[in-house]
Amino acid sequence: MRNCKPYKVINLPLFRDERGVLTFAEAQTMIPFEIKRLFWIYGIPEGKTRAGHAHKTCQQAIIPIHGSFDIFITNGKYEETITMNEPNEIIAIPAGVWCELKNFSKDAVVLVATSEHFDADDYLQPYNEFLEFIETCK
């Protein structure tokens, strides 16, 4: 059976001992691209969402550092909502895939690694612009 999911879940190494837990990620091996930018999201008010866009060229790796949130992902055909709550689990989002983060726990901290520097022209939003973009890419 073919995997049509427009994302990849990456389980990172987890080392646990009496001193606590250590997890790490390496660019271009575990994270499937060279990291050019990092940003983190926290202090999200109840009921608010983040993202709500896709990128033309930028790839992202989204890591739930603390707490939990849901991520809605679609490529226009396949869609899924995934709960992220394990800090040793990354979700890799390729370019051309819409995602929206929601249902944040009060203590949520989300780290995002990107394959490109910030470029406002790379964003696809609103949703109908995203759908038009993916239709022209067929």
Side-chain angles (χ1 to χ4, degrees), residues 4-137:
C4 296
K5 294 181 179 184
Y7 65 89
K8 181 179 180 184
V9 174
I10 301 163
N11 291 299
L12 300 174
L14 186 137
F15 298 96
R16 184 184 312 265
D17 65 21
E18 68 280 351
R19 300 169 297 167
V21 182
L22 181 137
T23 296
F24 67 92
E26 295 177 351
Q28 299 174 306
T29 56
M30 297 168 187
I31 295 175
F33 52 81
E34 177 185 350
I35 297 170
K36 294 192 178 168
R37 185 171 84 121
L38 294 171
F39 64 90
W40 42 102
I41 306 165
Y42 57 95
I44 305 102
E46 187 175 339
K48 297 296 181 183
T49 62
R50 298 298 309 225
H53 60 264
H55 290 277
K56 296 172 189 170
T57 59
C58 186
Q59 302 174 68
Q60 297 183 320
I62 301 172
I63 308 164
I65 297 297
H66 196 266
S68 66
F69 60 93
D70 292 336
I71 181 168
F72 169 75
I73 304 166
T74 184
N75 62 1
K77 293 183 180 183
Y78 178 95
E79 62 182 49
E80 185 173 359
T81 299
I82 301 163
T83 298
M84 301 294 294
N85 58 11
E86 296 294 334
N88 68 309
E89 204 169 78
I90 291 177
I91 193 155
I93 309 290
V97 173
W98 181 275
C99 69
E100 183 174 323
L101 284 62
K102 55 190 173 183
N103 301 325
F104 293 92
S105 63
K106 289 182 180 184
D107 60 348
V109 178
V110 183
L111 176 64
V112 182
T114 69
S115 65
E116 305 299 326
H117 297 287
F118 176 79
D119 178 3
D121 292 332
D122 189 54
Y123 283 70
L124 293 166
Q125 67 189 90
Y127 191 72
N128 63 331
E129 181 183 324
F130 159 71
L131 291 176
E132 289 171 14
F133 177 82
I134 60 173
E135 188 62 32
T136 61
C137 290

